[in-house]
Amino acid sequence: MTDRYELTMLQAALRSGKADRECVFEVFTRQLPAGRRYGVLAGVGRVLEAISQFSFGGSELAFLHSAGVVDDKTLKWLEEYRFSGSISGYREGEIYFANSPVMTVRGTFAEAVLLETVILSILNYDSAVAAAASRMHTAASGRFLAEMGARRANESAAVAAARAAFIAGFDATSNLEAGRSYGIPTMGTSAHSFTLLHDSEKEAFEAQIASMGPDTTLLVDTYDIRPAVKMAVELTSGKVSAVRIDSGDLASTAVEVRGQLDELGAKNTKIVVTSDLDEHTIAALAAAPVDRFGVGTSLVTGSSHPTAGFVYKLVAHSDGAGWTDVAKTSISKTNLGGEKIASRLIESGVATAELIGSDKGRMLQTELMSDGVAAPEQLGEQGVLAAKAHHLVVKAELPKTGLRLSKGDPAIPTVFS
């Protein structure tokens, strides 16, 4: 979780005598992804957990020595490294916009510069997933959403994606590690392979019902949907919990299946749809009798979650006599120097502006880590549940136009003071 240039900067700063300068780094994005109206900050708890455990052990130091990455003085410094600074920022689950100072890291240059990659790799991925999940939550209009993308991501990203999606409004995940680590409800019953394993679809359904009872979801599109639905109802005396459709024209098929279920007396049986869903296909199913959506590929990878684009920039440092604000001035990559505060102007319960450098609105930053110790309420299952609740509150503050799925301007303007 460290890029080489962080270590070479550390070594050079130790030589120049500037490594111990107190510094302020900020995490922000210069712009939202094209057409997006807001971003969702996710991964804060994971960042704090990672920094709390961030150190260089014997095997890492041996590799750095054998590869000639840094000199012996730097290796000695790394051997004793623990971050002892402070971090503040937006709460996990918070909405953000271009130039929002979502995380502020204070510490010596040596301590803080090493955290760039670990902070950005977590926040960029988790926030990208959360933004997509939040849009899908809007499109679903209160209907059940399950995250099912583990097979489309690497094993660590799969857990992170499930966590981020839950924070942004999803109800459950297929990923058991996300359930174990963060208390996220898990779900899942069977795939087509289970049906194909048996000598008949009826035998497969009977085996699943015998194992799990009628409170299960039967996959009905391995062969012909209509007879499969009839069989599911008959085998459970109309008490099967749900049937899942994973192919075809989901809207028209759902209408047909709902009509068939009602005719057979299974009015309480729910319809679950999967198959490459994203926020736009979910929105297109708004009028269809679908009760639950299972989302995978488009949530954890692909164009549905363009990167958040967060950067980690030094904005101020002190030589002990006073603070100096610093900033890049290179074309298209400028930023404002100096540590910033941020608030959101709320009028009659509706957000109207993101205020950078002003405390006239709802304050957005909170203390996340002090003297290298993370705030416990930000961690684990407790942190995830708090972030989920917070996101629902702040999302409700956005103007209705800010929730549109179509491309457009940010939900609210950013105003600098």
Side-chain angles (χ1 to χ4, degrees), residues 125-136:
Y125 181 76
D126 290 29
S127 297
V129 172
S134 182
R135 287 161 60 87
M136 293 173 191

Side-chain angles (χ1 to χ4, degrees), residues 246-284:
D246 187 49
S247 59
D249 184 332
L250 297 177
S252 61
T253 303
V255 170
E256 293 173 4
V257 169
R258 182 73 271 160
Q260 184 183 6
L261 288 170
D262 291 348
E263 289 174 4
L264 294 170
K267 296 182 181 296
N268 294 325
T269 298
K270 299 187 182 304
I271 296 177
V272 182
V273 298
T274 52
S275 185
D276 295 328
L277 300 177
D278 61 17
E279 61 265 49
H280 300 292
T281 53
I282 292 172

Side-chain angles (χ1 to χ4, degrees), residues 94-305:
E94 184 62 79
I95 302 283
Y96 70 86
F97 301 92
N99 296 298
S100 295
V102 299
M103 186 169 284
T104 302
V105 179
R106 305 175 195 86
T108 66
F109 178 82
E111 279 193 275
V113 75
L114 295 184
L115 301 180
E116 177 180 7
T117 298
V118 66
I119 289 175
L120 292 184
S121 62
I122 293 174
L123 293 186
N124 271 315
Y125 181 76
D126 290 29
S127 297
V129 172
S134 182
R135 287 161 60 87
M136 293 173 191
H137 178 259
T138 297
S141 299
R143 288 179 284 183
F144 188 96
L145 285 164
E147 182 279 320
M148 303 168 63
R151 290 161 295 164
R152 300 294 187 266
N154 75 60
E155 63 279 12
S156 298
V159 181
R163 181 184 182 279
F166 183 69
I167 285 171
F170 272 57
D171 299 284
T173 178
S174 64
N175 190 289
L176 287 173
E177 183 57 37
R180 185 176 77 98
S181 296
Y182 300 109
I184 301 171
T186 61
M187 45 69 63
T189 49
S190 67
H192 293 290
S193 60
F194 181 77
T195 302
L196 295 169
L197 167 69
H198 294 82
D199 297 330
S200 69
E201 190 170 49
K202 181 180 180 182
E203 184 181 321
F205 284 4
E206 288 175 334
Q208 183 172 327
I209 295 165
S211 173
M212 310 183 85
D215 188 20
T216 188
T217 300
L218 294 173
L219 182 58
V220 295
D221 71 337
T222 304
Y223 305 115
D224 190 346
I225 292 179
R226 191 166 183 82
V229 170
K230 184 173 184 292
M231 189 186 309
V233 173
E234 290 177 346
L235 291 174
T236 60
S237 299
K239 296 180 181 179
V240 62
S241 176
V243 294
R244 178 161 76 98
I245 307 166
D246 187 49
S247 59
D249 184 332
L250 297 177
S252 61
T253 303
V255 170
E256 293 173 4
V257 169
R258 182 73 271 160
Q260 184 183 6
L261 288 170
D262 291 348
E263 289 174 4
L264 294 170
K267 296 182 181 296
N268 294 325
T269 298
K270 299 187 182 304
I271 296 177
V272 182
V273 298
T274 52
S275 185
D276 295 328
L277 300 177
D278 61 17
E279 61 265 49
H280 300 292
T281 53
I282 292 172
L285 291 167
V290 174
D291 302 289
R292 299 173 181 172
F293 300 96
V295 188
T297 303
S298 65
L299 186 59
V300 303
T301 186
S303 60
S304 285
H305 72 46

Side-chain angles (χ1 to χ4, degrees), residues 44-46 48-49 89-92 163 366-369 374-384 386-387:
V44 173
R46 295 210 309 122
L48 299 178
E49 291 168 356
Y90 285 28
R91 289 179 59 181
E92 187 158 17
R163 181 184 182 279
T366 187
E367 197 67 28
L368 301 171
M369 176 174 277
E377 67 271 14
Q378 303 290 335
L379 305 177
E381 182 177 348
Q382 177 185 4
V384 169

